Amino acid sequence: MYTANIADTVMFRNLGKEPSTRLQVLKEAVEDANTEIWVPAAVYHELSDTRETNSPANPYLDTAIEEGWLRVATPLPGDRGEEFNQNASAVEKARIVADDFLNQQSKYPVTNNWRDAALVALAVRLFDENTRIRVITHTADQNLAKACARIPPEFGYYEIKSRYYNPPQTAKAEFPTVNNLTWDGI
């Protein structure tokens, strides 16, 4: 069974920009765990340097993408302003449900919650597209960790774990390990 790891923005901010020994340690852990890291397109864009004129460069992720151990998901469907539609795809519904959940929990509703909800929606997309998969999410946002653990099961996907890093700086030592990237890990 394949284990997909989905990581939030703060995980990479803590590991630093390339060249980074912490990113090299993560690469080695990903290879040893026989997995890969997934990020939603929203996370990629959030970490990008938009000062580039041709296309955004991402000093956190581009090297990992080129080396093949990190994948950026295609953009997720749906718009924040849309109402919940029973006929929408599970991915769209999951993102709306996650956004609503995060907005209810947040001191600052609607700031980053739509981007954060992309982690939940990506997990549902990966489940939709793969029959033998487990998903582990990695975040330093407690409410997002709860959303990642609670919402996919509402869509029938139970093989999910959410790893929460508190304080966020612990991601520097804990995230880039084989144990945290594998199902039977911590």
Side-chain angles (χ1 to χ4, degrees):
M1 185 172 288
Y2 173 68
T3 301
N5 286 272
I6 303 173
D8 193 9
T9 304
V10 72
M11 305 311 292
F12 293 101
R13 288 199 195 280
N14 277 298
L15 297 179
K17 298 175 183 178
E18 283 289 354
S20 165
T21 56
R22 290 186 182 106
L23 285 173
Q24 187 61 38
V25 168
L26 177 60
K27 174 187 175 184
E28 292 167 9
V30 166
E31 290 170 351
D32 290 346
N34 195 28
T35 189
E36 53 197 350
I37 304 292
W38 286 80
V39 296
V43 167
Y44 180 86
H45 291 295
E46 189 175 355
L47 290 168
S48 292
D49 181 355
T50 56
R51 293 176 290 178
E52 295 289 320
T53 55
N54 297 338
S55 64
N58 193 311
Y60 297 93
L61 305 178
D62 283 347
T63 300
I65 293 165
E66 290 168 16
E67 292 174 347
W69 58 272
L70 186 136
R71 296 177 69 175
V72 178
T74 57
L76 297 160
D79 287 318
R80 181 175 233 169
E82 292 178 6
E83 294 291 323
F84 189 85
N85 178 351
Q86 287 294 353
N87 297 322
S89 71
V91 175
E92 290 176 82
K93 289 177 187 176
R95 192 168 188 186
I96 291 169
V97 170
D99 187 50
D100 287 345
F101 174 84
L102 293 169
N103 285 337
Q104 290 172 13
Q105 309 301 318
S106 178
K107 288 189 251 179
Y108 309 103
V110 305
T111 46
N112 293 327
N113 295 337
W114 185 248
R115 282 191 307 246
D116 289 345
L119 266 74
V120 176
L122 177 55
V124 169
R125 175 188 276 170
L126 291 173
F127 282 122
D128 272 356
E129 294 176 352
N130 300 279
T131 56
R132 296 186 44 80
I133 189 170
R134 298 180 287 207
V135 174
I136 303 170
T137 61
H138 303 270
T139 183
D141 179 326
Q142 186 174 25
N143 290 325
L144 179 55
K146 288 177 186 175
C148 289
R150 291 179 182 173
I151 294 170
E154 292 179 21
F155 293 89
Y157 304 118
Y158 301 97
E159 294 289 319
I160 187 160
K161 290 183 181 182
S162 185
R163 302 235 160 98
Y164 169 56
Y165 301 83
N166 181 37
Q169 296 80 6
T170 60
K172 292 176 184 175
E174 294 176 16
F175 174 55
T177 64
V178 173
N179 278 346
N180 277 348
L181 298 174
T182 56
W183 190 253
D184 296 325
I186 298 172

